[in-house]
Amino acid sequence: MATLRSLTARFSALFRRRELHDRVGEELQFHIRMQTEENIRRGLAPPDAQAAAHRKLGNTTQVREEVHRMNTIEFLDETARNFRLSFRTLCKNPGFALTAVLVLALGLGASTAMFSALDRILFRPLPYPDGDRLVQIGMTVPDFGPSANGGRGDVVFTDHAYLARWIPPPEPFVSVTIVSRTPDCDITEEQRPERVKCAYVSDNFLETFRVHVALGRDFMPEDDVRGAPPVAIISHGLWLRRFGGDPDAVGRTLNIGGVPVPVIGVMPPHFETPRGDSADIWRPSQIFPIPPEFATMSTFITIFGRLKPGVTPQQAEVAVAPLILEDARLLRRGPLDDYRPRVRSLRDYQVGDASRAAWLLLGAVAGLLLIACVNVTNLILARLAAREREFAVRAALGACRWRLARLALMESLLLSAAAGALGLAIAAGLLRLFVSLAPSSIFKLNEASLDLRVFAVAAILSAIAGAAIGIWPAISVLRTATLQHGARVTVARPRLRFALVTRSDRADRRDAGQFGAVAALAMEPGQRAAGFSKRPRCHDERDVDGRALYAKSRTARIPRSTARPHPSLTGYRRCHVE
Amino acid sequence: MDKDKAAILQGTLDLLVLKTVETMGPLHGWAIAKRIEQIAEDLLEMKYGTLYPALMRLEQSGWISSEWGTSDNNRRARFYSITRQGRKQLALEAKGWAQMSAFITRMLGSTR
């Protein structure tokens, strides 16, 4: 309780540090005045009295420092200091900073753009409640070839087979529904006739997908009977377009293909068909019961089902395979060896083989990001080697190794944050390019955009990149930032650095086409900016060790006439501590 | 520092301050220091500077509260008074101290 209280007090004190500082100052002043007056009363001369009061009070700077420490959260304070310092350091080395940021930004931008483009295929949940339990049921029929049904190779049931086998839904399905066809149709109103997309579905379609109409009512079983009066549920878009979002639209009629059809409901906004496209008008399929004269005819329908919880599509496939094959027998009299029953998740149905390609692409950009990180790590290590004197001086002035390591890490994080921001801009550009190319085989690519989800991923990526490029330099600082080792101990062994560079070089070549080119681009200026082969700007033949530095800070007290620089310091004088 | 005078033991300053503001009511820092010194007479050497961080620490713990007031000679000064929690804490610490000193006395008094 007391600790919590103390912590909150400390936190609130953070924001009124100035006030508390002034308060202590005033109290100390008051104390000295009181003490001085008392000393005078005791018979001391005023100057002596005041000096005695000061003596008795002790070191007021120490008091102020203690109060300051008490009213601060050291970690936050230090982080803010490191941030400012890193910012200044990077600003002083624009060449290095720009190169590192650019290289990282390319990697981050490409990754972000690729993630955004492939998000719908791989990660984003389907826009239906418990969408992972939705499956498409069918079989691959070699007769129709892999391009059957728009490249999906899916199936194909006869109507009467559906009726016989799938109502009521077999184990392990909660419900099974069909989409019979999605033709173009015409709204034939006198004013503003338009061509739209109609979808014919069974009455339990919305129920199976667990979607509720935004307005009006869902289909009833009696709507989905051959010969029943026509009804329609219209899409949210069409409702806005034709009825201006009027709630009274339900009950009005819409002339579709010359037939007046009452509108019974409005879909929620952005509702998608199971294929991922959109339809404007939803109508009951009304194919059952099938009149005897149609009994031997078949129509293409697509079956979707909702699995019971905990059942995988594979298990369901095993369970309903006999049923599917029985249906297939109605299609073909010969052997069914090459008919393969298939139950696959709705996501698989929608994206098909694209997911494998998507993983491949994602892997490629991840490789690119990795290469960028390795290169920037190299840059930082190279620069640390050049800055080892600075770190030695900081260590000599009392910075502990962990502080120095945190400082090095902060620089990396700052670089990656800047790169993340620039990467977003690059991602936006790349994404525009992707969308304009938009191969139709990549599902929903034309809808990819930078939304909050993508921002979050970009932020996480840049944080990870920051940690990745920062951790090694920080460790090397931790290992070597002690003055005893002298300036000759390198922050990171050069051989290791070159080994790294060559390794990433090879990785570039191994990488396919364009990515290799980009990576190589990232490599080139990187090496030059860091000046791998150049010697550090400030160099001295002698070691500058701790004692020499300390001696330098002491020479200030030696009278000018006798002061002569120690020979070991002449080299150091030429150095700048950046 | 005078060899005969004990430095204030680590952690006991809190106890002294709490006791002082409990018995004397609202006091400013200088008065608290004077009071402690007065009672200690020659037994204790105290750098007054350490008092002020201690006051702030006690206030942050919620054991004392403070406000600006006017001193006897009409100067603005910060006055400290004990809180209810502070009284509880004082009782607790006094008890702990009594136990500790009893133990040490016994320890030093034992012959073998």
Side-chain angles (χ1 to χ4, degrees), chain A residues 420-492:
Chain A
L422 185 61
L424 268 181
I426 293 178
L430 275 178
L431 207 56
R432 194 173 290 180
L433 185 72
F434 287 171
V435 173
S436 73
L437 297 173
S440 58
S441 58
I442 298 185
F443 183 67
K444 290 267 176 189
L445 178 56
N446 51 351
E447 284 176 24
S449 63
L450 294 180
D451 55 10
L452 217 58
R453 195 178 147 86
V454 177
F455 278 129
V457 167
I460 291 170
L461 272 181
S462 97
I464 291 175
I469 62 171
I471 219 92
W472 197 359
I475 288 174
S476 78
V477 165
L478 201 58
R479 276 215 308 257
T480 55
T482 58
L483 209 56
Q484 283 90 326
H485 291 174
R488 199 153 273 182
V489 177
T490 49
V491 173

Side-chain angles (χ1 to χ4, degrees), chain B residues 40-105:
Chain B
E41 289 177 356
D42 295 330
L43 294 175
L44 214 58
E45 166 80 25
M46 176 181 171
K47 278 284 179 214
Y48 289 155
T50 56
L51 178 67
Y52 290 92
L55 283 171
M56 194 162 272
R57 196 167 47 238
L58 288 173
E59 193 177 353
Q60 279 186 0
S61 304
W63 295 333
I64 57 176
S65 60
S66 69
E67 57 185 352
W68 289 113
T70 315
S71 70
D72 298 340
N73 53 4
N74 264 334
R75 286 214 181 92
R76 199 165 103 101
R78 193 92 184 162
F79 282 81
Y80 295 88
S81 44
I82 196 160
T83 63
R84 215 155 50 85
Q85 273 185 332
R87 283 180 210 279
K88 268 191 233 162
Q89 180 66 20
L90 174 60
L92 216 69
E93 280 191 28
K95 198 174 147 205
W97 177 256
Q99 278 171 354
M100 190 65 190
S101 72
F103 163 70
I104 290 178
T105 313

Side-chain angles (χ1 to χ4, degrees), chain A residues 23 27 31 37 57 71, chain B residues 30 49 52 59-60 75 80:
Chain A
R23 183 180 122 186
E27 285 197 84
H31 187 108
E37 280 169 18
L57 189 60
N71 291 319
Chain B
W30 188 74
Y52 290 92
E59 193 177 353
Q60 279 186 0
R75 286 214 181 92
Y80 295 88

